[in-house]
Amino acid sequence: IGTARCLTSCLQSRVHLSSGPQQKDTTFYEFRTYCIRPEQNATFLKLTNEKIHLRTAHSELIGYWSVEYGGLNKVFHIWRYDSYSQRAAVRAALAQDPSWLAQYISMALPMLSSQDNEVTYLVPWTHLQKPPKEGGVYELVSFQMCPGGPAVWGKDFQAAISAHDAPGYGKVLGVFHNEFGPLNRVHALWWFESADRRAELRHKAHADPRVVAAVRNSSSHLVSQENRLMFPCHFSPLK
C-alpha cells in the first residue's frame, strides 16, 4: 500500500519533477560508515582515538560516532569539504602521507569488513548546529523518499521535521540530502540528552495531533526509513 501511494503521489506531481532549489553553496558533507570486524571493534576505536589527528590535519571532521542501535560494530563520521577539488587534493595528500599510511591505514583496514560513503548537502532551510551541551546521544534518521526530489516532497518533509523540532521533541542539528549514493535520500541528525529522554519525547510526539498530521503527509512520499542511535567518540568535535 505504501509503495502504491508513493507511486501515485509521484505521478500526480510529475509536472513538478524538477530537482527543486538550485544548490548555491559548494560546501558538502561526506558521510562515511565503516563496518568493523566484531573482534576488532575495541582495537579499531582505540587506534582511531590515538591517530585521528593525522587525518584531521588534512580536512575538517564534523563528528565521529559509534553506532549503538541500528547496526552493531559500526562507526559513522562526517567530513566537511569546500569543493570537490578540495576533496581530491585532500585524498591525494593522504595517499602521500607516510605517517597516515604507516600508523593508521595499514593497521585499520584489516579491521574493517566494509566501507560506505555518501556525499550530501545541507538542505536550504537548515544549517549545521551544535548540541545545547556536551554529552547525550545522537540519532541519524535516513529517509528514502519517492523519486522527483524536493519539488515533490520537500514541503511535507520540512513540515514533519519542524513539527518535531519546534516543540522540542528533539534537537535537529542538520538536515542533509544526497548528491551521491542513493538519490532522494534525506538525513536528519538529532540530539537528545539520553536514550531514555528520546523515548520519552517520542511518546509525547506521538500524542501531538500536529506531529501526527505532519508525519502522515510526509509519509505519503516515503519509501523506507532507517534509524541509528549513536554515541560520540571521545575525539569527535560534536559530542
Side-chain angles (χ1 to χ4, degrees):
I1 295 176
T3 302
R5 185 180 299 166
C6 177
L7 291 173
T8 300
S9 173
C10 292
L11 289 171
Q12 290 174 341
S13 306
R14 63 184 177 181
V15 69
H16 303 295
L17 289 185
S18 67
S19 59
Q22 294 294 313
Q23 186 67 45
K24 297 180 180 180
D25 189 355
T26 61
T27 300
F28 66 86
Y29 299 85
E30 183 174 7
F31 284 16
R32 284 186 164 246
T33 301
Y34 295 169
C35 293
I36 310 166
R37 300 186 186 280
E39 72 278 7
Q40 297 288 346
N41 191 61
T43 304
F44 176 85
L45 291 173
K46 181 176 183 295
L47 174 67
T48 304
N49 181 56
E50 294 172 351
K51 302 298 181 180
I52 193 66
H53 67 280
L54 299 174
R55 177 62 183 83
T56 54
H58 292 271
S59 64
E60 182 182 358
L61 173 65
I62 298 299
Y64 204 114
W65 297 267
S66 176
V67 179
E68 183 71 12
Y69 300 107
L72 297 177
N73 301 301
K74 288 184 178 182
V75 291
F76 171 74
H77 34 126
I78 302 176
W79 299 85
R80 179 188 181 277
Y81 295 98
D82 295 328
S83 64
Y84 291 103
S85 58
Q86 187 218 353
R87 182 186 182 278
V90 168
R91 303 305 298 179
L94 286 168
Q96 299 298 319
D97 186 334
S99 297
W100 171 248
L101 296 174
Q103 297 179 38
Y104 187 78
I105 288 296
S106 63
M107 301 172 67
L109 285 183
M111 302 181 194
L112 302 179
S113 58
S114 67
Q115 296 174 282
D116 184 51
N117 74 331
E118 299 169 71
V119 170
T120 73
Y121 289 95
L122 283 167
V123 300
W125 44 269
T126 189
H127 62 278
L128 191 60
Q129 303 182 66
K130 293 183 178 180
K133 60 182 179 181
E134 290 190 359
V137 299
Y138 292 73
E139 183 177 16
L140 181 71
V141 188
S142 300
F143 304 88
Q144 188 63 46
M145 308 299 289
C146 287
V152 174
W153 41 258
K155 288 184 178 180
D156 287 339
F157 181 82
Q158 181 179 355
I161 295 294
S162 299
H164 286 83
D165 184 44
Y169 295 130
K171 175 64 176 176
V172 66
L173 303 183
V175 181
F176 308 80
H177 65 92
N178 272 24
E179 180 73 10
F180 293 104
L183 296 183
N184 296 293
R185 177 176 287 186
V186 195
H187 310 270
L189 182 65
W190 297 86
W191 178 89
F192 300 91
E193 291 184 2
S194 67
D196 287 326
R197 179 60 174 162
R198 174 196 175 274
E200 177 186 342
L201 289 172
R202 280 187 64 81
H203 283 303
K204 290 183 178 180
H206 291 165
D208 187 329
R210 293 170 299 176
V211 173
V212 173
V215 169
R216 182 185 297 116
N217 291 337
S218 181
S219 65
S220 67
H221 309 292
L222 183 65
V223 176
S224 64
Q225 178 179 331
E226 179 184 4
N227 295 40
R228 298 176 183 174
L229 196 71
M230 313 179 299
F231 290 104
C233 295
H234 175 72
F235 52 84
S236 176
L238 284 180
K239 58 187 170 198

